[in-house]
Amino acid sequence: MEIFLQQLINSLSVASVTILIGMGITLIFGLAGIVNFAQGEFLMVGGMITWALVMAGVNFFVAMVVAMLAVGLLGLTAERTLFRFTLTRPMNGFIMSIGLSVILQNVVIRTLNEVQKSITPPVTAVWTVGGVDIIAMRAIVVAITAVVVAVTYFGISRSRYGVALRASVADQDTAALMGIPVKRYVTGVFVYGSVLAGLGGALMIALFPITPFTGSVIIIRGFAVSLIGGLGNVGGAVVGGLILGLVDALAAQYGFPQWTDAYSLIVMIVILILRPQGLLGGTMGPRAT
Amino acid sequence: MTNHNMQSPTQPVTARVSLPEAKPRYMRGIKEPTREEWCLGILILAGLIAFPFFDPGYRFLSLAVSTIFTAIALYGLSLQFGQAGIMSVGHAGIMGVGGYTAAILANQLGLGFWESLPLAMLLSALAAAVVGLPSLRVGGQHYIIITFCFCALLVIALTNGGTFTGAATGLDVGPIPGVFGIRFAKLDNMYFLCLAALTISIAVTFAIVHSPYGRTLWSIRENEPLARAVGINTNLHKIGVFAISGAFAGLGGILQTYYLRHISPELYGAFPSLYLALMIMLGGARPLYGPLIGSIIVNFLPELGGLDPIDSRIAYGVGLLLVILLLPGGVSGGLLSLYRRGTKTRHRLEKGRGLS
Amino acid sequence: MTQLEIRGLAKRFGGVQALNGIDIAIDGDGITGVIGPNGSGKTTLFNTIMGVHKPTAGQVIWDGRDITGWPAYRIAATGLVRTYQQAMSFPGISVLDNVSIGFEHGCDRAAPRRWTSPESLLGFVGLDGRGDEIAGSLSFGNLRRLGIAVALAAQPRMLLLDEPGAGLNDHEALALRDLILQFPGMGMGVCLIDHDMALMGAVCSRFIVLNFGTKIADGTPADVLQDRKVLEVYLGEDA
């Protein structure tokens, strides 16, 4: 049982990274109607930037913030030059995001190499709580994610900005008539989703080594997280992440470890077939009925 | 609106449609290729037949073989995506079902290429139909993600299949047994075999697109609720087109297997599937030669442009972005509209069709 | 006489009772108009009859068969065909292909063909010579005609028209009226929803009035428009 608890906490820290990416996917889908396939690559780029800075002697937490800003800038550029033009044809946006992900992955391979990168954990302490050993860095990752999730959730459900945002999702035309700058909101959400991916990348490299191919692995889990909970539903992404974490922990403890990735995919596919809108009910994108 | 052109309601009531009886039943309703279409087809075929005689060298000839079996699989995707409007990024996985069927049959039962061919196509069709089932419940982007996950699952399953699937190292197959003394171990002959399969694939695609069934597929792409309202069992036809698409992928997959003589799981993962989707977008999903052009571009670009694999992938990515932003019909669609602009309105009739 | 009979049809969406046990019998040789204020359940009625929504309760009997809960394509094959208010055509393909699709499917095998070819049907609705154009490039009025032609191509014995007059100018509405008036003579019953009372008054031999998912009046247009409840609920709101 203690081993299972440790597995659970380990899985929770992994789940944190997937929740961050899943939340980005869900937010961008909810407002722009685009499932951003490049979100995994955004995360990988964030991790690589963090790695480069830490290698250059920068403090991890400073590097993390720089990575968030840099990936946010990347998102801004992508939205302004690419996705802005496919808002009315989300399928094209989705296919473009596949192209973007191919580009980013290979640009990183070109500028660095294919070898996996890792940093020494910025915090090396191990805490013992109630007989269970907890690696401090993992706890910090979970805590940071929890704070970000809470801020995002309340930002969307409570603040004036969030209300306007949800109005835009419900009906972009009417929202525009009411003076809500819908396009700027789309950009804002895209950038915010990208920043979350940058944060996810920084947190990930604090836990595990990453390679230029990490993005394409993590994106599947990001999709799983956001689809299980319901695309466009922030709370859903969190629930999806927790379910995935639990599935991983159970699989690692009781299942066949080489099938670990398969379990989460199967859970996702089964949920999508039984409840296409996800567990908590997602939107079908802006203005789609 | 004036009424003088409306027919009186009673006059035509009793006539039943009589179809031209000259053609066999399965040919009815299929539009004959126009003279232009014949010319273009024969020209392209002649060029492809002539290719090995220009002494392209081993490297280029093997690229051509890859181009062709990939294009065969893409013709399936062009029916599914170009005609019925349902994109998938799991097509390499379906190719893998065909390839592994052949390789497992060869290793377990000692069956050769010709015996495995129908089974590989059948199982691929079946797999594609099963993978297509969720599309009846979830649409568009959700479905694409499911197909992507299917590929990831397939790779995990193949990697953990023990000696049955050869695990991570994969399986070997022998050469294709010769027919009438033609040895397919020779690359030229392999090329011609693939070319024959490609010709059949293009002909079948043309027939489907220019038949009532093609229109049925368009109705799903254009307006599914209305299609149902005029009596089309859209669910059945979606699964049907997935199965057809899968059969093409199976054919491409088994040719790939017997060309490479060794297959392993990573050939059929999510990324190869993404590249297939990319090729169909680059070439154009609806024009008849779009899949072939897409496959040529992606297979030959690195060689002709002197790009290493990494640079060429970046180039595909950039190409994809440009095509979507500037040329929504793909490269062949762009060529087509250039040609049309040259020949003006003669082609008005074809504009609305799925292919031209 | 073919007949569409609806018995106690009810549909609930979450907490909203969209249809509240409706009983209607529509003959296969007349033109029946369904009217009512926005949100009264008219389109939901069509959708529930036609297999788009599953009814919560009640039955739909068409031509002696219980078609409750049948999938839409099977209902169409029995000769009961509907049009959509918004999604009228297959926009990306030619006008002729649009109509051909209906011709190749749907077709109630028992009914005699009224048109020998898609071209003659296009002529009937006034789109002759436009078969090669892309449906999506047609003017709005022509798009409406095409929408009706696509449904007619499926050889219906009864046609349900969802707001065929919406967005048409006076001239086009007049032409639409003349078109609809020909259907009963061709052995086709019509049931239509529209807000254009001039059109409805001109074509319908019977009105059914819905309000909050309940039938509040049913009879000849003259009788129904005298009805106090109708005047209060429906026309009172308009005036």
Side-chain angles (χ1 to χ4, degrees):
Chain A
M1 194 61 204
E2 274 168 24
I3 297 175
F4 176 71
L5 269 178
Q6 276 172 356
Q7 282 288 3
L8 193 64
I9 290 162
N10 289 352
S11 303
L12 214 57
S13 60
V14 182
S16 300
V17 175
T18 34
I19 286 173
L20 287 175
I21 195 165
M23 238 165 44
I25 290 172
T26 258
L27 284 172
I28 292 170
F29 177 81
L31 196 61
I34 298 166
V35 176
N36 182 17
F37 206 94
Q39 195 78 3
E41 257 54 55
F42 283 10
L43 177 135
M44 181 271 291
V45 169
M48 290 297 177
I49 291 172
T50 311
W51 171 82
L53 289 173
V54 169
M55 286 294 121
V58 179
N59 173 281
F60 168 78
F61 292 99
V62 176
M64 180 177 91
V65 173
V66 175
M68 288 162 69
L69 293 176
V71 177
L73 195 65
L74 180 64
L76 178 68
T77 316
E79 202 277 334
R80 280 292 158 90
T81 57
L82 302 173
F83 297 108
R84 165 141 301 187
F85 303 102
T86 57
L87 287 180
T88 51
R89 308 189 63 181
M91 192 56 129
N92 284 357
F94 179 65
I95 294 168
M96 260 190 347
S97 73
I98 294 178
L100 184 62
S101 112
V102 169
I103 296 173
L104 287 175
Q105 185 183 84
N106 287 287
V107 166
V108 168
I109 296 174
R110 167 68 54 228
T111 45
L112 301 171
N113 50 42
E114 299 189 10
V115 183
Q116 69 175 29
K117 312 278 182 286
S118 56
I119 58 174
T120 48
V123 181
T124 46
V126 174
W127 298 330
T128 309
V129 181
V132 181
D133 287 339
I134 298 172
I135 297 166
M137 193 58 224
R138 301 201 164 188
I140 291 171
V141 166
V142 174
I144 291 177
T145 306
V147 170
V148 169
V149 165
V151 167
T152 310
Y153 187 77
F154 285 104
I156 283 188
S157 58
R158 295 291 145 81
S159 74
R160 272 194 62 196
Y161 182 78
V163 171
L165 205 64
R166 279 181 291 136
S168 315
V169 173
D171 188 339
Q172 292 196 343
D173 293 335
T174 312
L177 282 177
M178 289 170 68
I180 296 171
V182 175
K183 281 215 159 165
R184 208 182 303 162
Y185 275 34
V186 172
T187 311
V189 162
F190 207 98
V191 171
Y192 186 69
S194 309
V195 169
L196 292 183
L199 174 64
L203 295 181
M204 191 162 178
I205 201 163
L207 300 177
F208 318 99
I210 64 173
T211 75
F213 305 104
T214 299
S216 48
V217 178
I218 204 83
I219 187 70
I220 298 186
R221 298 179 60 81
F223 283 150
V225 161
S226 43
L227 288 171
I228 287 173
L231 265 179
N233 186 325
V234 174
V238 178
V239 170
L242 295 178
I243 289 177
L244 222 56
L246 192 66
V247 169
D248 285 348
L250 286 170
Q253 186 63 24
Y254 305 107
F256 305 98
Q258 67 269 35
W259 289 87
T260 303
D261 288 333
Y263 296 126
S264 50
L265 296 180
I266 291 168
V267 167
M268 183 194 87
I269 290 174
V270 168
I271 287 179
L272 266 190
I273 292 173
L274 297 180
R275 267 183 75 87
Q277 71 279 34
L279 287 180
L280 269 68
T283 64
M284 294 311 268
R287 267 188 305 173
T289 44
Chain B
M1 195 205 271
T2 50
N3 280 326
H4 60 83
N5 52 18
M6 289 182 179
Q7 296 174 15
S8 100
T10 47
Q11 174 217 337
V13 166
T14 47
R16 286 195 72 97
V17 164
S18 59
L19 296 159
E21 296 300 326
K23 290 183 187 172
R25 200 176 174 286
Y26 57 88
M27 290 288 286
R28 258 176 231 159
I30 298 180
K31 187 180 84 83
E32 293 269 347
T34 62
R35 195 182 324 151
E36 264 174 336
E37 283 162 348
W38 273 119
C39 289
L40 185 64
I42 290 169
L43 209 69
I44 290 175
L45 186 62
L48 289 174
I49 291 175
F51 180 72
F53 298 104
F54 285 102
D55 194 21
Y58 188 84
R59 177 82 191 123
F60 272 85
L61 197 57
S62 34
L63 276 179
V65 172
S66 307
T67 302
I68 291 178
F69 65 66
T70 311
I72 292 170
L74 287 179
Y75 274 97
L77 196 56
S78 81
L79 287 172
Q80 179 187 325
F81 173 56
Q83 308 305 322
I86 308 165
M87 187 53 157
S88 148
V89 290
H91 210 56
I94 306 292
M95 280 179 86
V97 172
Y100 264 92
T101 301
I104 289 169
L105 286 174
N107 283 283
Q108 300 287 328
L109 302 175
L111 294 188
F113 174 83
W114 300 105
E115 296 87 4
S116 307
L117 178 65
L119 277 168
M121 288 176 67
L122 192 71
L123 272 177
S124 293
L126 206 65
V130 171
V131 174
L133 284 175
S135 77
L136 308 182
R137 299 264 304 170
V138 302
Q141 311 185 57
H142 288 68
Y143 178 65
I144 296 183
I145 294 170
I146 289 186
T147 61
F148 190 70
C149 293
F150 156 72
C151 275
L153 275 176
L154 184 76
V155 170
I156 295 173
L158 291 176
T159 313
N160 291 303
T163 50
F164 190 66
T165 62
T169 39
L171 293 171
D172 293 315
V173 295
I176 299 179
V179 183
F180 306 122
I182 303 169
R183 286 176 49 247
F184 293 105
K186 195 165 169 266
L187 191 59
D188 293 50
N189 292 337
M190 185 67 197
Y191 174 83
F192 286 118
L193 178 69
C194 289
L195 185 54
L198 176 71
T199 311
I200 294 170
S201 305
I202 294 179
V204 169
T205 303
F206 183 88
I208 288 177
V209 170
H210 291 90
S211 71
Y213 185 61
R215 272 195 286 268
T216 306
L217 298 181
W218 304 344
S219 75
I220 295 172
R221 176 187 80 204
E222 295 290 333
N223 189 342
E224 208 178 322
L226 183 61
R228 279 195 288 264
V230 297
I232 297 175
N233 185 349
T234 52
N235 285 356
L236 182 75
H237 290 302
K238 276 181 175 176
I239 297 302
V241 77
F242 287 137
I244 295 172
S245 165
F248 278 99
L251 179 58
I254 189 172
L255 287 170
Q256 179 184 35
T257 300
Y258 275 89
Y259 162 69
L260 296 173
R261 308 270 300 277
H262 171 82
I263 53 171
S264 51
E266 82 274 8
L267 277 174
Y268 306 117
F271 264 79
S273 283
L274 285 185
Y275 285 110
L276 289 179
L278 190 146
M279 285 182 228
I280 201 97
M281 296 301 297
L282 277 179
R286 290 190 209 169
L288 186 57
Y289 298 102
L292 181 59
I293 292 176
S295 181
I296 291 174
I297 294 174
V298 170
N299 280 290
F300 276 91
L301 184 79
E303 201 70 15
L304 295 177
L307 300 173
D308 68 11
I310 295 165
D311 285 333
S312 53
R313 280 184 214 130
I314 296 174
Y316 304 149
V318 173
L320 182 66
L321 299 185
L322 291 178
V323 160
I324 292 192
L325 289 176
L326 308 174
L327 271 185
V331 170
S332 58
L335 290 175
L336 213 63
S337 57
L338 262 182
Y339 173 73
R340 292 253 166 72
R341 214 170 292 162
T343 54
K344 285 278 166 62
T345 49
R346 242 177 347 123
H347 302 275
R348 249 182 42 181
L349 196 142
E350 278 143 36
K351 264 200 318 206
R353 310 199 68 102
L355 295 185
S356 11
Chain C
M1 172 54 58
T2 54
Q3 205 185 35
L4 178 63
E5 196 185 341
I6 292 147
R7 295 182 191 151
L9 199 66
K11 177 69 196 173
R12 169 182 279 280
F13 294 109
V16 182
Q17 190 76 40
L19 293 179
N20 203 356
I22 290 185
D23 297 285
I24 303 173
I26 298 172
D27 288 336
D29 61 353
I31 302 181
T32 307
V34 179
I35 58 176
N38 282 329
S40 59
K42 304 184 296 291
T43 297
T44 307
L45 176 66
F46 272 21
N47 283 339
T48 313
I49 294 172
M50 295 305 295
V52 176
H53 304 318
K54 258 196 161 47
T56 320
Q59 282 174 306
V60 181
I61 314 287
W62 159 243
D63 198 13
R65 272 187 286 188
D66 186 346
I67 60 163
T68 320
W70 280 24
Y73 73 91
R74 254 183 92 193
I75 296 177
T78 63
L80 184 61
V81 177
R82 60 94 53 91
T83 64
Y84 279 95
Q85 184 193 340
Q86 303 285 340
M88 295 171 271
S89 70
F90 304 106
I93 61 179
S94 77
V95 168
L96 192 61
D97 283 330
N98 263 269
V99 179
S100 300
I101 286 170
F103 251 78
E104 286 150 3
H105 295 274
C107 296
D108 187 355
R109 306 282 170 204
R113 289 242 180 193
R114 299 185 188 93
W115 297 277
T116 51
S117 67
E119 288 86 353
S120 63
L121 173 54
L122 283 181
F124 174 72
V125 298
L127 287 173
D128 38 355
R130 317 201 72 145
D132 292 344
E133 289 176 34
I134 302 290
S137 68
L138 290 179
S139 70
F140 191 80
N142 282 336
L143 210 51
R144 282 261 180 245
R145 292 183 209 208
L146 178 59
I148 292 174
V150 169
L152 288 177
Q155 303 287 341
R157 282 180 293 153
M158 182 171 287
L159 196 56
L160 308 191
L161 299 170
D162 193 350
E163 299 209 23
L168 297 184
N169 62 33
D170 292 351
H171 189 63
E172 291 165 336
L174 221 58
L176 176 72
R177 185 198 68 189
D178 293 339
L179 193 64
I180 293 175
L181 280 172
Q182 295 182 65
F183 294 159
M186 305 170 83
M188 209 186 315
V190 179
C191 178
L192 81 160
I193 298 173
D194 213 296
H195 286 292
D196 180 350
M197 289 309 287
L199 171 73
M200 295 296 268
V203 299
C204 295
S205 51
R206 176 181 168 202
F207 273 174
I208 292 163
V209 188
L210 296 187
N211 192 34
F212 291 116
T214 309
K215 185 172 87 172
I216 57 166
D218 184 352
T220 62
D223 287 347
V224 164
L225 296 180
Q226 302 288 311
D227 192 294
R228 272 191 67 86
K229 267 192 292 186
V230 176
L231 287 174
E232 275 171 24
V233 160
Y234 181 64
L235 299 172
E237 189 185 70
D238 255 1

